[in-house]
Amino acid sequence: MYRRVFTDPKAERTVVVVPSLSLDTDELTKIDGVVHYEERLLCLLMLLRMPRTQLIYVTSKPVESSIVDYYLHLLTGVPGAHARARLDMISLDDPGITPLSRKILDRPDALSAIRSAIRFPGSAHLTCFNSTEMERTLAVQLGIPMYAADPALSHLGSKSTSRALLRDVGLKVPDGFEGLRDRSDVIGAVLAVHQRNPTVARAVIKLDEGFSGEGNAVIDLTDLSEAADPSAEAARRLASELTCVAPGEDCDSFLAKLETMGGIVEAMIEGSKLRSPSVQMRIDPTGHVHLVSTHDQVLGGNGGQVFEGCTFPARRSYAVDLHDAGFRVADELKRRGVIGRFGIDFVSSQVGGAWDHHAIEINLRKGGTTLPYLMLEFLTNGSYDRETGRFRTPTGATRGYYATDNLVSRHYRGLTPGELIDLAVLNDLHFDAAAQQGVVFHLLGAITDHGKVGVVSIAEDRRTAFQRYRSAVNALNRAVRS
Protein backbone atom coordinates (compact mmCIF):
# COMPACT_ATOMS: atom_id res chain seq x y z
CA MET A 1 0.00 0.00 0.00
CA TYR A 2 2.90 2.37 0.76
CA ARG A 3 4.31 1.91 -2.76
CA ARG A 4 0.91 2.28 -4.40
CA VAL A 5 -0.60 5.15 -2.41
CA PHE A 6 2.08 7.30 -0.78
CA THR A 7 3.75 8.23 -4.07
CA ASP A 8 0.49 9.43 -5.67
CA PRO A 9 -0.93 12.67 -4.19
CA LYS A 10 -4.25 12.08 -5.99
CA ALA A 11 -4.74 8.51 -4.76
CA GLU A 12 -7.71 7.67 -2.58
CA ARG A 13 -6.66 7.10 1.01
CA THR A 14 -7.91 7.37 4.57
CA VAL A 15 -5.60 8.49 7.36
CA VAL A 16 -6.88 7.68 10.86
CA VAL A 17 -5.12 9.93 13.38
CA VAL A 18 -5.22 8.76 17.00
CA PRO A 19 -2.97 11.25 18.86
CA SER A 20 -2.96 9.26 22.08
CA LEU A 21 -0.18 10.01 24.54
CA SER A 22 0.21 6.37 25.50
CA LEU A 23 2.75 7.03 28.19
CA ASP A 24 2.95 6.59 31.95
CA THR A 25 -0.12 8.34 33.39
CA ASP A 26 1.74 9.55 36.50
CA GLU A 27 4.24 11.27 34.22
CA LEU A 28 1.44 12.72 32.07
CA THR A 29 -0.20 14.39 35.07
CA LYS A 30 2.93 16.55 35.41
CA ILE A 31 2.11 18.31 32.11
CA ASP A 32 -0.27 21.25 32.47
CA GLY A 33 -3.23 20.91 30.08
CA VAL A 34 -2.05 17.52 28.88
CA VAL A 35 -5.38 16.50 27.30
CA HIS A 36 -4.95 19.34 24.79
CA TYR A 37 -1.67 17.83 23.61
CA GLU A 38 -3.85 15.58 21.46
CA GLU A 39 -4.20 18.70 19.28
CA ARG A 40 -0.49 18.68 18.40
CA LEU A 41 -1.08 16.38 15.43
CA LEU A 42 -3.70 18.71 13.95
CA CYS A 43 -0.88 19.70 11.62
CA LEU A 44 -1.84 16.50 9.77
CA LEU A 45 -4.99 18.29 8.61
CA MET A 46 -2.62 19.71 6.00
CA LEU A 47 -2.79 16.27 4.33
CA LEU A 48 -6.21 17.35 3.09
CA ARG A 49 -4.47 19.42 0.43
CA MET A 50 -4.34 16.08 -1.43
CA PRO A 51 -7.79 16.16 -3.10
CA ARG A 52 -8.84 12.53 -2.54
CA THR A 53 -7.51 12.08 0.98
CA GLN A 54 -9.91 11.50 3.85
CA LEU A 55 -8.71 12.23 7.37
CA ILE A 56 -10.32 10.92 10.55
CA TYR A 57 -9.10 12.71 13.67
CA VAL A 58 -10.03 11.21 17.05
CA THR A 59 -9.76 13.08 20.35
CA SER A 60 -10.75 12.64 23.99
CA LYS A 61 -12.73 15.89 24.04
CA PRO A 62 -14.21 17.93 21.17
CA VAL A 63 -11.92 20.31 19.29
CA GLU A 64 -13.56 23.71 18.89
CA SER A 65 -14.71 24.45 15.35
CA SER A 66 -12.71 27.70 15.32
CA ILE A 67 -9.51 25.66 15.79
CA VAL A 68 -10.40 23.30 12.94
CA ASP A 69 -11.25 26.26 10.70
CA TYR A 70 -7.93 27.91 11.62
CA TYR A 71 -5.98 24.92 10.28
CA LEU A 72 -8.15 24.50 7.20
CA HIS A 73 -7.61 28.16 6.28
CA LEU A 74 -3.88 27.46 6.18
CA LEU A 75 -4.41 25.01 3.33
CA THR A 76 -3.35 26.04 -0.14
CA GLY A 77 -4.48 24.54 -3.43
CA VAL A 78 -7.92 23.33 -2.30
CA PRO A 79 -11.05 25.19 -1.15
CA GLY A 80 -11.70 24.98 2.58
CA ALA A 81 -15.15 23.48 2.03
CA HIS A 82 -13.69 20.75 -0.16
CA ALA A 83 -11.20 19.82 2.56
CA ARG A 84 -13.84 20.04 5.32
CA ALA A 85 -16.02 17.51 3.51
CA ARG A 86 -13.17 15.00 3.70
CA LEU A 87 -12.51 15.52 7.42
CA ASP A 88 -14.21 13.55 10.18
CA MET A 89 -13.63 14.76 13.74
CA ILE A 90 -14.62 12.12 16.30
CA SER A 91 -14.66 12.89 20.02
CA LEU A 92 -15.16 10.51 22.94
CA ASP A 93 -16.25 13.31 25.30
CA ASP A 94 -13.92 11.90 27.95
CA PRO A 95 -11.21 14.34 29.16
CA GLY A 96 -9.75 11.89 31.70
CA ILE A 97 -6.01 11.17 31.92
CA THR A 98 -6.35 7.63 30.54
CA PRO A 99 -4.59 7.36 27.14
CA LEU A 100 -6.96 7.95 24.24
CA SER A 101 -6.21 4.56 22.65
CA ARG A 102 -7.27 2.80 25.85
CA LYS A 103 -10.50 4.81 25.93
CA ILE A 104 -11.30 3.77 22.34
CA LEU A 105 -10.61 0.10 23.01
CA ASP A 106 -12.91 0.23 26.03
CA ARG A 107 -15.72 1.78 23.97
CA PRO A 108 -17.22 -0.52 21.30
CA ASP A 109 -19.32 2.41 20.07
CA ALA A 110 -16.18 4.47 19.46
CA LEU A 111 -14.51 1.63 17.59
CA SER A 112 -17.61 1.19 15.47
CA ALA A 113 -17.83 4.93 14.72
CA ILE A 114 -14.22 5.04 13.52
CA ARG A 115 -14.57 1.85 11.50
CA SER A 116 -17.77 3.08 9.86
CA ALA A 117 -16.21 6.43 8.97
CA ILE A 118 -13.38 4.88 6.92
CA ARG A 119 -14.23 5.54 3.28
CA PHE A 120 -11.25 3.76 1.69
CA PRO A 121 -10.54 0.67 3.83
CA GLY A 122 -8.22 -0.81 1.19
CA SER A 123 -5.90 2.20 1.38
CA ALA A 124 -6.27 3.31 4.99
CA HIS A 125 -3.68 3.44 7.75
CA LEU A 126 -3.42 4.47 11.40
CA THR A 127 -0.95 7.11 12.58
CA CYS A 128 -0.25 7.89 16.22
CA PHE A 129 2.04 9.81 18.55
CA ASN A 130 3.75 6.70 19.93
CA SER A 131 3.04 3.02 19.41
CA THR A 132 2.24 0.63 22.23
CA GLU A 133 0.29 -2.60 22.45
CA MET A 134 -2.85 -0.45 22.63
CA GLU A 135 -2.25 1.17 19.24
CA ARG A 136 -1.36 -2.20 17.72
CA THR A 137 -4.60 -3.72 19.06
CA LEU A 138 -6.53 -0.70 17.83
CA ALA A 139 -5.11 -1.13 14.32
CA VAL A 140 -6.05 -4.82 14.36
CA GLN A 141 -9.58 -4.02 15.57
CA LEU A 142 -9.97 -1.46 12.79
CA GLY A 143 -8.48 -3.82 10.21
CA ILE A 144 -5.89 -1.31 8.95
CA PRO A 145 -2.07 -1.15 9.20
CA MET A 146 -0.26 1.18 11.57
CA TYR A 147 2.56 3.38 10.26
CA ALA A 148 4.81 3.22 13.32
CA ALA A 149 7.31 0.96 15.00
CA ASP A 150 6.06 -2.41 16.21
CA PRO A 151 5.48 -2.10 19.99
CA ALA A 152 7.59 -5.24 20.42
CA LEU A 153 10.54 -2.98 19.55
CA SER A 154 9.60 -0.14 21.91
CA HIS A 155 12.41 -1.05 24.30
CA LEU A 156 14.82 0.31 21.69
CA GLY A 157 13.58 3.78 22.67
CA SER A 158 14.08 3.35 26.42
CA LYS A 159 16.92 5.25 28.08
CA SER A 160 18.82 2.06 28.93
CA THR A 161 18.55 0.29 25.59
CA SER A 162 19.08 3.40 23.50
CA ARG A 163 22.29 4.20 25.44
CA ALA A 164 23.61 0.75 24.63
CA LEU A 165 22.57 1.00 20.97
CA LEU A 166 24.12 4.45 20.54
CA ARG A 167 27.36 3.15 21.99
CA ASP A 168 27.27 0.05 19.77
CA VAL A 169 27.06 2.11 16.55
CA GLY A 170 30.13 4.09 17.57
CA LEU A 171 28.60 7.26 19.01
CA LYS A 172 30.00 8.82 22.15
CA VAL A 173 27.66 8.68 25.17
CA PRO A 174 28.15 10.26 28.62
CA ASP A 175 29.90 8.09 31.17
CA GLY A 176 27.27 6.18 33.08
CA PHE A 177 25.30 3.01 33.68
CA GLU A 178 22.03 1.63 32.38
CA GLY A 179 19.61 -1.07 33.51
CA LEU A 180 19.34 0.25 37.08
CA ARG A 181 16.48 -1.14 39.17
CA ASP A 182 16.66 0.28 42.72
CA ARG A 183 18.22 2.70 45.18
CA SER A 184 21.36 0.62 45.72
CA ASP A 185 21.94 0.40 41.96
CA VAL A 186 21.71 4.18 41.72
CA ILE A 187 24.11 4.75 44.61
CA GLY A 188 26.60 2.30 43.15
CA ALA A 189 26.40 3.96 39.72
CA VAL A 190 26.80 7.45 41.18
CA LEU A 191 29.90 6.37 43.11
CA ALA A 192 31.40 4.66 40.07
CA VAL A 193 30.88 7.72 37.86
CA HIS A 194 32.55 9.91 40.47
CA GLN A 195 35.45 7.50 41.03
CA ARG A 196 36.16 7.27 37.30
CA ASN A 197 36.15 11.04 36.92
CA PRO A 198 36.19 13.08 40.15
CA THR A 199 35.89 16.33 38.15
CA VAL A 200 32.28 15.50 37.22
CA ALA A 201 30.20 17.89 39.32
CA ARG A 202 26.76 16.40 38.81
CA ALA A 203 25.06 13.25 37.55
CA VAL A 204 21.64 12.85 36.00
CA ILE A 205 19.33 10.01 36.96
CA LYS A 206 16.72 9.23 34.30
CA LEU A 207 13.66 7.02 34.30
CA ASP A 208 13.73 4.60 31.38
CA GLU A 209 10.30 5.70 30.14
CA GLY A 210 10.52 9.36 31.11
CA PHE A 211 9.92 12.03 28.46
CA SER A 212 10.43 15.77 27.88
CA GLY A 213 12.94 15.76 30.76
CA GLU A 214 10.19 15.39 33.38
CA GLY A 215 11.51 11.94 34.35
CA ASN A 216 14.96 13.24 35.29
CA ALA A 217 16.66 14.12 38.58
CA VAL A 218 20.07 15.64 39.34
CA ILE A 219 22.50 14.74 42.14
CA ASP A 220 25.56 16.73 43.23
CA LEU A 221 28.87 14.82 43.13
CA THR A 222 31.28 17.56 44.23
CA ASP A 223 33.75 16.51 46.95
CA LEU A 224 32.05 13.14 47.26
CA SER A 225 35.39 11.29 47.62
CA GLU A 226 36.39 13.51 50.55
CA ALA A 227 33.58 12.13 52.72
CA ALA A 228 34.58 9.65 55.43
CA ASP A 229 32.15 7.17 53.88
CA PRO A 230 31.44 8.09 50.22
CA SER A 231 28.71 5.46 49.92
CA ALA A 232 26.85 6.80 52.96
CA GLU A 233 27.31 10.37 51.72
CA ALA A 234 25.94 9.46 48.29
CA ALA A 235 22.92 7.84 49.96
CA ARG A 236 22.37 10.96 52.06
CA ARG A 237 22.54 13.30 49.08
CA LEU A 238 20.18 11.04 47.14
CA ALA A 239 17.64 11.09 49.98
CA SER A 240 17.81 14.76 50.97
CA GLU A 241 19.36 16.76 48.13
CA LEU A 242 18.10 15.12 44.95
CA THR A 243 16.79 17.76 42.54
CA CYS A 244 13.83 16.29 40.70
CA VAL A 245 12.83 18.05 37.49
CA ALA A 246 9.10 17.40 37.87
CA PRO A 247 7.36 19.71 40.37
CA GLY A 248 6.19 17.89 43.48
CA GLU A 249 8.47 14.90 42.92
CA ASP A 250 10.75 13.76 45.77
CA CYS A 251 13.39 11.07 46.15
CA ASP A 252 11.04 8.36 47.40
CA SER A 253 8.43 8.81 44.67
CA PHE A 254 11.14 9.12 42.02
CA LEU A 255 12.93 5.93 43.09
CA ALA A 256 9.62 4.08 43.39
CA LYS A 257 9.01 4.91 39.74
CA LEU A 258 12.55 3.79 38.86
CA GLU A 259 11.92 0.42 40.52
CA THR A 260 8.89 0.01 38.27
CA MET A 261 10.37 1.04 34.92
CA GLY A 262 14.16 1.02 35.42
CA GLY A 263 16.57 3.82 34.71
CA ILE A 264 20.08 5.09 34.09
CA VAL A 265 22.72 7.29 35.70
CA GLU A 266 25.06 9.38 33.56
CA ALA A 267 27.54 12.17 34.07
CA MET A 268 26.11 15.58 33.31
CA ILE A 269 27.93 17.24 30.42
CA GLU A 270 28.74 20.81 31.43
CA GLY A 271 30.64 23.70 29.92
CA SER A 272 30.46 27.37 29.00
CA LYS A 273 29.18 26.64 25.49
CA LEU A 274 26.58 23.89 25.54
CA ARG A 275 23.92 23.03 22.98
CA SER A 276 21.22 20.35 22.88
CA PRO A 277 20.78 19.44 19.21
CA SER A 278 18.71 16.61 17.80
CA VAL A 279 18.27 14.86 14.47
CA GLN A 280 15.01 13.42 13.17
CA MET A 281 14.91 10.39 10.87
CA ARG A 282 12.28 8.22 9.21
CA ILE A 283 12.38 4.62 8.02
CA ASP A 284 9.62 3.94 5.50
CA PRO A 285 7.87 0.57 5.07
CA THR A 286 10.09 -0.31 2.10
CA GLY A 287 13.22 0.05 4.25
CA HIS A 288 14.45 3.37 2.86
CA VAL A 289 16.03 5.71 5.40
CA HIS A 290 15.13 9.41 5.22
CA LEU A 291 16.89 12.31 6.92
CA VAL A 292 14.02 14.53 8.05
CA SER A 293 15.49 17.48 9.97
CA THR A 294 17.83 18.79 12.65
CA HIS A 295 17.03 21.10 15.55
CA ASP A 296 18.60 22.86 18.47
CA GLN A 297 16.41 22.15 21.46
CA VAL A 298 15.50 24.85 23.96
CA LEU A 299 15.67 23.42 27.48
CA GLY A 300 14.51 24.97 30.73
CA GLY A 301 12.78 24.01 33.94
CA ASN A 302 14.48 22.58 37.01
CA GLY A 303 18.12 21.87 36.15
CA GLY A 304 17.66 22.83 32.50
CA GLN A 305 16.29 19.38 31.67
CA VAL A 306 12.80 20.13 30.33
CA PHE A 307 12.04 20.47 26.62
CA GLU A 308 10.43 23.87 26.04
CA GLY A 309 10.91 24.41 22.33
CA CYS A 310 13.35 24.29 19.45
CA THR A 311 14.99 26.24 16.66
CA PHE A 312 15.31 24.88 13.14
CA PRO A 313 17.62 24.02 11.56
CA ALA A 314 20.47 23.10 13.90
CA ARG A 315 23.62 25.19 13.68
CA ARG A 316 25.45 24.64 10.43
CA SER A 317 28.74 24.15 12.30
CA TYR A 318 27.59 20.72 13.44
CA ALA A 319 24.47 19.82 11.45
CA VAL A 320 26.40 17.43 9.17
CA ASP A 321 27.75 15.62 12.25
CA LEU A 322 24.15 15.00 13.26
CA HIS A 323 23.31 13.68 9.79
CA ASP A 324 26.05 11.06 10.03
CA ALA A 325 24.94 9.99 13.51
CA GLY A 326 21.32 9.79 12.37
CA PHE A 327 22.12 7.44 9.51
CA ARG A 328 24.25 5.22 11.75
CA VAL A 329 21.40 4.77 14.20
CA ALA A 330 18.77 4.44 11.46
CA ASP A 331 20.69 1.65 9.74
CA GLU A 332 20.83 -0.31 13.00
CA LEU A 333 17.15 0.30 13.80
CA LYS A 334 16.21 -0.73 10.26
CA ARG A 335 18.19 -3.94 10.73
CA ARG A 336 16.10 -4.62 13.84
CA GLY A 337 12.83 -4.03 11.98
CA VAL A 338 11.87 -0.48 13.02
CA ILE A 339 9.75 1.73 10.74
CA GLY A 340 8.39 5.24 11.25
CA ARG A 341 9.76 8.47 12.70
CA PHE A 342 12.29 8.75 15.49
CA GLY A 343 14.74 11.29 16.89
CA ILE A 344 18.17 11.24 18.54
CA ASP A 345 19.07 13.81 21.19
CA PHE A 346 22.57 15.07 21.95
CA VAL A 347 24.42 17.28 24.39
CA SER A 348 27.19 19.14 22.57
CA SER A 349 29.99 21.23 24.00
CA GLN A 350 32.42 23.47 22.16
CA VAL A 351 36.06 22.69 22.88
CA GLY A 352 38.33 25.16 21.13
CA GLY A 353 36.87 25.54 17.66
CA ALA A 354 35.30 22.06 17.47
CA TRP A 355 32.08 20.57 18.80
CA ASP A 356 32.13 17.45 20.96
CA HIS A 357 28.85 15.51 20.74
CA HIS A 358 27.47 13.08 23.29
CA ALA A 359 24.41 11.11 22.15
CA ILE A 360 21.84 10.98 24.93
CA GLU A 361 18.79 9.01 23.81
CA ILE A 362 16.61 7.72 21.02
CA ASN A 363 12.95 8.82 20.96
CA LEU A 364 11.12 6.12 19.03
CA ARG A 365 8.03 8.25 18.38
CA LYS A 366 6.88 11.60 17.13
CA GLY A 367 8.14 14.36 19.39
CA GLY A 368 8.08 18.05 20.16
CA THR A 369 9.99 18.79 16.97
CA THR A 370 7.56 16.85 14.74
CA LEU A 371 4.69 19.35 14.65
CA PRO A 372 6.66 22.49 13.77
CA TYR A 373 8.62 20.75 11.04
CA LEU A 374 5.49 19.23 9.49
CA MET A 375 3.84 22.67 9.55
CA LEU A 376 6.81 24.21 7.75
CA GLU A 377 6.92 21.38 5.23
CA PHE A 378 3.19 21.53 4.50
CA LEU A 379 2.97 25.34 4.37
CA THR A 380 5.94 25.86 2.05
CA ASN A 381 6.15 22.55 0.16
CA GLY A 382 9.89 22.72 0.81
CA SER A 383 12.43 20.17 2.03
CA TYR A 384 15.54 19.82 4.17
CA ASP A 385 18.80 19.76 2.20
CA ARG A 386 21.16 17.06 3.45
CA GLU A 387 24.19 18.67 1.84
CA THR A 388 23.83 22.14 3.35
CA GLY A 389 21.74 21.55 6.47
CA ARG A 390 19.25 24.17 5.27
CA PHE A 391 15.56 24.08 4.42
CA ARG A 392 14.63 25.35 0.95
CA THR A 393 11.30 26.12 -0.66
CA PRO A 394 10.64 25.17 -4.32
CA THR A 395 11.82 28.67 -5.31
CA GLY A 396 15.15 28.15 -3.54
CA ALA A 397 14.38 30.47 -0.62
CA THR A 398 15.60 29.38 2.81
CA ARG A 399 13.30 29.04 5.81
CA GLY A 400 13.80 28.44 9.50
CA TYR A 401 11.68 28.67 12.62
CA TYR A 402 11.51 29.05 16.35
CA ALA A 403 8.86 26.89 18.00
CA THR A 404 7.52 26.31 21.48
CA ASP A 405 4.56 24.47 22.94
CA ASN A 406 4.97 26.27 26.25
CA LEU A 407 4.03 29.94 25.88
CA VAL A 408 2.19 30.55 29.16
CA SER A 409 0.70 33.67 30.73
CA ARG A 410 -2.00 34.25 33.32
CA HIS A 411 -3.24 37.05 31.07
CA TYR A 412 -4.22 34.49 28.42
CA ARG A 413 -6.59 32.61 30.72
CA GLY A 414 -10.21 33.09 29.83
CA LEU A 415 -9.45 33.77 26.17
CA THR A 416 -11.24 31.50 23.73
CA PRO A 417 -9.31 30.06 20.78
CA GLY A 418 -11.41 32.25 18.49
CA GLU A 419 -10.50 35.39 20.45
CA LEU A 420 -6.80 34.51 20.29
CA ILE A 421 -7.05 34.02 16.53
CA ASP A 422 -8.83 37.40 16.22
CA LEU A 423 -6.05 39.09 18.17
CA ALA A 424 -3.43 37.45 15.96
CA VAL A 425 -5.13 38.64 12.77
CA LEU A 426 -5.73 42.18 14.07
CA ASN A 427 -2.06 42.47 15.06
CA ASP A 428 -0.70 41.06 11.78
CA LEU A 429 0.61 37.92 13.45
CA HIS A 430 -1.13 35.48 11.12
CA PHE A 431 0.91 33.32 8.71
CA ASP A 432 1.28 34.99 5.31
CA ALA A 433 0.90 32.30 2.65
CA ALA A 434 2.21 34.54 -0.12
CA ALA A 435 5.42 35.40 1.74
CA GLN A 436 5.56 31.93 3.35
CA GLN A 437 6.44 33.57 6.66
CA GLY A 438 4.64 34.40 9.86
CA VAL A 439 3.25 32.83 13.01
CA VAL A 440 1.18 29.69 13.39
CA PHE A 441 -0.51 28.84 16.69
CA HIS A 442 -1.26 25.38 18.05
CA LEU A 443 -2.44 23.86 21.35
CA LEU A 444 -5.17 26.47 21.06
CA GLY A 445 -7.54 24.41 23.21
CA ALA A 446 -5.31 24.96 26.26
CA ILE A 447 -5.58 28.75 26.16
CA THR A 448 -8.84 29.19 28.08
CA ASP A 449 -8.21 27.13 31.20
CA HIS A 450 -4.42 27.02 31.29
CA GLY A 451 -3.28 30.24 29.61
CA LYS A 452 -1.05 28.07 27.46
CA VAL A 453 -0.49 28.00 23.71
CA GLY A 454 2.05 26.76 21.18
CA VAL A 455 3.73 28.95 18.57
CA VAL A 456 5.70 28.29 15.39
CA SER A 457 7.41 31.41 14.02
CA ILE A 458 8.60 30.94 10.43
CA ALA A 459 11.03 33.29 8.69
CA GLU A 460 13.92 33.27 6.23
CA ASP A 461 16.34 32.04 8.90
CA ARG A 462 16.27 30.89 12.52
CA ARG A 463 17.58 34.17 13.95
CA THR A 464 14.88 36.24 12.25
CA ALA A 465 12.29 33.64 13.24
CA PHE A 466 13.17 34.09 16.92
CA GLN A 467 13.07 37.87 16.62
CA ARG A 468 9.62 37.65 15.05
CA TYR A 469 8.52 35.26 17.77
CA ARG A 470 9.52 37.80 20.44
CA SER A 471 7.77 40.59 18.54
CA ALA A 472 4.66 38.42 18.21
CA VAL A 473 4.62 37.61 21.92
CA ASN A 474 5.05 41.28 22.84
CA ALA A 475 2.26 42.32 20.48
CA LEU A 476 0.00 39.57 21.80
CA ASN A 477 0.68 40.57 25.40
CA ARG A 478 -0.10 44.22 24.68
CA ALA A 479 -3.31 43.27 22.92
CA VAL A 480 -4.44 40.96 25.71
CA ARG A 481 -3.72 43.46 28.46
CA SER A 482 -5.60 46.21 26.62
Side-chain angles (χ1 to χ4, degrees):
M1 189 190 77
Y2 180 83
R3 291 189 181 97
R4 174 174 54 86
V5 174
F6 278 67
T7 57
D8 182 2
K10 293 186 178 180
E12 292 180 340
R13 81 194 79 195
T14 295
V15 182
V16 180
V17 184
V18 178
S20 177
L21 275 69
S22 298
L23 302 161
D24 183 81
T25 52
D26 288 340
E27 295 297 300
L28 288 176
T29 58
K30 299 170 184 176
I31 301 175
D32 194 27
V34 66
V35 69
H36 297 288
Y37 278 67
E38 292 176 1
E39 297 177 19
R40 287 202 293 182
L41 291 187
L42 282 171
C43 58
L44 294 178
L45 266 61
M46 300 294 102
L47 292 173
L48 293 169
R49 65 183 180 175
M50 295 184 289
R52 303 182 76 186
T53 291
Q54 178 206 11
L55 195 138
I56 300 171
Y57 200 99
V58 189
T59 54
S60 292
K61 57 185 296 185
V63 178
E64 285 195 26
S65 59
S66 61
I67 298 175
V68 176
D69 290 342
Y70 176 73
Y71 280 89
L72 294 181
H73 287 151
L74 293 171
L75 282 169
T76 57
V78 295
H82 191 278
R84 192 67 181 84
R86 293 178 282 111
L87 172 64
D88 292 275
M89 301 291 296
I90 297 177
S91 168
L92 274 64
D93 289 309
D94 179 358
I97 197 66
T98 302
L100 173 60
S101 295
R102 179 76 270 158
K103 295 173 187 176
I104 297 171
L105 291 172
D106 290 343
R107 293 263 302 270
D109 61 319
L111 268 171
S112 178
I114 298 169
R115 194 183 296 115
S116 299
I118 297 174
R119 302 180 198 176
F120 309 116
S123 55
H125 75 274
L126 173 70
T127 187
C128 51
F129 174 73
N130 65 312
S131 63
T132 70
E133 290 83 355
M134 291 184 288
E135 284 72 36
R136 181 173 59 195
T137 299
L138 180 57
V140 171
Q141 293 287 333
L142 294 173
I144 61 176
M146 175 175 69
Y147 192 179
D150 187 332
L153 303 173
S154 62
H155 65 283
L156 298 173
S158 72
K159 301 292 190 296
S160 287
T161 307
S162 64
R163 253 182 69 90
L165 190 151
L166 292 166
R167 193 169 51 235
D168 288 347
V169 300
L171 299 182
K172 185 187 291 188
V173 299
D175 184 29
F177 297 86
E178 54 267 8
L180 309 181
R181 303 304 309 184
D182 55 30
R183 185 185 298 256
S184 63
D185 284 352
V186 171
I187 293 172
V190 165
L191 286 172
V193 167
H194 178 70
Q195 288 165 358
R196 290 205 290 231
N197 188 352
T199 64
V200 173
R202 295 183 292 173
V204 187
I205 309 167
K206 299 180 180 179
L207 302 177
D208 260 343
E209 305 302 329
F211 54 91
S212 297
E214 296 281 0
N216 296 0
V218 179
I219 184 170
D220 181 18
L221 304 185
T222 54
D223 302 325
L224 188 58
S225 57
E226 297 179 10
D229 184 345
S231 179
E233 175 62 13
R236 185 195 68 78
R237 294 184 187 184
L238 185 66
S240 61
E241 298 177 7
L242 188 70
T243 302
C244 297
V245 171
E249 190 88 80
D250 59 24
C251 175
D252 290 339
S253 61
F254 182 84
L255 291 179
K257 187 69 68 175
L258 185 138
E259 290 178 3
T260 300
M261 65 174 63
I264 67 171
V265 164
E266 60 187 20
M268 180 177 282
I269 307 299
E270 302 192 79
S272 58
K273 291 186 178 180
L274 283 180
R275 299 290 182 268
S276 298
S278 67
V279 58
Q280 291 69 46
M281 308 292 294
R282 180 168 57 89
I283 304 171
D284 72 34
T286 67
H288 286 89
V289 174
H290 304 263
L291 171 65
V292 176
S293 60
T294 61
H295 291 81
D296 281 316
Q297 300 178 89
V298 178
L299 303 180
N302 217 348
Q305 302 281 304
V306 179
F307 178 83
E308 293 190 344
C310 58
T311 56
F312 168 84
R315 291 172 182 266
R316 295 183 66 193
S317 54
Y318 51 65
V320 175
D321 296 341
L322 306 183
H323 299 173
D324 175 67
F327 279 105
R328 284 201 214 180
V329 175
D331 287 342
E332 178 60 21
L333 291 177
K334 181 180 77 171
R335 189 184 69 80
R336 300 194 190 195
V338 170
I339 67 168
R341 291 178 181 267
F342 66 93
I344 309 157
D345 293 343
F346 299 80
V347 173
S348 304
S349 56
Q350 192 171 30
V351 182
W355 286 94
D356 186 29
H357 304 289
H358 286 80
I360 301 296
E361 64 188 36
I362 300 169
N363 292 306
L364 208 58
R365 60 176 186 265
K366 296 179 176 69
T369 56
T370 303
L371 176 143
Y373 181 78
L374 286 176
M375 288 303 304
L376 175 67
E377 191 176 45
F378 287 141
L379 290 171
T380 66
N381 203 30
S383 60
Y384 183 70
D385 185 345
R386 175 180 175 180
E387 299 302 320
T388 63
R390 290 185 171 186
F391 184 94
R392 295 192 181 277
T393 69
T395 64
T398 61
R399 288 292 179 270
Y401 58 73
Y402 176 84
T404 179
D405 55 14
N406 201 32
L407 175 59
V408 183
S409 170
R410 62 184 178 84
H411 297 289
Y412 302 162
R413 294 195 178 201
L415 278 177
T416 66
E419 288 170 338
L420 177 64
I421 293 167
D422 285 345
L423 286 175
V425 173
L426 289 171
N427 288 274
D428 297 321
L429 303 180
H430 192 57
F431 182 79
D432 185 338
Q436 294 190 322
Q437 299 186 55
V439 171
V440 180
F441 293 98
H442 63 101
L443 279 183
L444 286 160
I447 192 77
T448 305
D449 294 332
H450 304 279
K452 187 175 188 177
V453 68
V455 181
V456 183
S457 172
I458 299 171
E460 57 266 27
D461 57 60
R462 45 183 271 162
R463 182 186 298 274
T464 306
F466 181 72
Q467 292 170 346
R468 290 190 175 181
Y469 164 77
R470 293 305 317 165
S471 297
V473 171
N474 291 336
L476 180 61
N477 288 344
R478 287 194 299 270
V480 169
R481 290 190 177 109
S482 65

